Amino acid sequence: MKKKLLLAIDDCSKALEQLRLPSSLAFLENASRMLADCFQNGNKVIVAGNGGSLCDASHFAEELTGIFRKTRRALPAIALSESGHLTCVGNDLGFEWVFARGVQAYGKKGDIFVGLTTSGNSLNIIRAFEEAKRQQLYTIAFLGKGGGQLKEFADLELLIDGFSTSDRIQEVHMVAIHLLIEQIEEILFYSNPIEESVSKYSELQCSFINE
């Protein structure tokens, strides 16, 4: 068992090393700025994925609306995970439309749609990206396994390649999500004196609420 565990840990490390690639670093820098600009302009982020990637989408959204490193104002993000919507659309129109309908309902020009798919071939995510383009949303894709049909479709993409199973890809996607949120907070709240003062005010508010 120990040998298998060490092999699995080595596999995790190899996957994580892909974030050091120039293309991955460029993605992290550009996506951080795109997301920060979105929030500064009064827009929101919509996130979607299937299975474990939907859990990652929800995690992404709650870290933005909630608290990550420090107390600061909430940032508008929606994970398309509401069970009533998913089952309604899945039953009436087909599962391939569950996320596109969410984008159509909530998306506005200038918002960002983030789609997570380890294959790049999930039809419901593809339909959501197509709808996002129609509504003039910016798009960010988290991909794996060569990128599939969604390769080079989004405005920005992170591709974790060389792994046949989804688990390692999703693990790196989550690390990337945490790095993005860390940079977004730095841009919006800690590198700007005005925003920093707003953040300190928010901390005082939360302290008062928690007493």
Side-chain angles (χ1 to χ4, degrees), residues 67 71-74 189 197-211:
I67 296 170
T71 305
R72 38 78 177 162
R73 67 177 174 84
F189 301 103
S197 67
V198 172
S199 177
K200 289 179 179 177
Y201 173 69
S202 298
E203 289 179 13
L204 288 173
Q205 281 186 310
C206 287
S207 175
F208 175 76
I209 291 170
N210 292 329
E211 287 180 354

Side-chain angles (χ1 to χ4, degrees), residues 121-137:
N121 294 319
S122 300
L123 188 55
N124 53 9
I125 297 294
I126 292 171
R127 293 282 182 265
F129 272 106
E130 292 170 345
E131 183 62 32
K133 292 282 189 179
R134 274 192 290 272
Q135 295 195 192
Q136 300 182 61
L137 277 68

Side-chain angles (χ1 to χ4, degrees), residues 8 28 66 79 89 99 101 104 106-108 122 128 138 146 160 167 185:
L28 292 168
V89 176
F99 298 133
R101 293 286 290 186
Q104 189 177 89
Y106 300 118
K108 302 294 182 185
S122 300
Y138 297 106
I160 304 303
D167 48 0
E185 288 190 341

Side-chain angles (χ1 to χ4, degrees), residues 40 186-197:
Q40 282 182 322
E186 178 67 26
I187 292 167
L188 292 179
F189 301 103
Y190 308 123
S191 62
N192 185 319
I194 296 175
E195 290 289 357
E196 189 173 346
S197 67

Side-chain angles (χ1 to χ4, degrees), residues 62-123:
E62 59 84 6
E63 295 283 25
L64 293 168
T65 59
I67 296 170
F68 184 60
R69 288 291 178 83
K70 296 180 182 179
T71 305
R72 38 78 177 162
R73 67 177 174 84
L75 298 171
I78 301 169
L80 299 177
S81 59
E82 200 279 309
S83 59
H85 166 82
L86 296 176
T87 54
C88 169
V89 176
N91 185 65
D92 294 344
L93 298 177
F95 191 61
E96 66 268 31
W97 297 106
V98 292
F99 298 133
R101 293 286 290 186
V103 171
Q104 189 177 89
Y106 300 118
K108 302 294 182 185
K109 182 178 179 180
D111 290 347
I112 295 176
F113 173 69
V114 180
L116 299 96
T117 164
T118 58
S119 68
N121 294 319
S122 300
L123 188 55

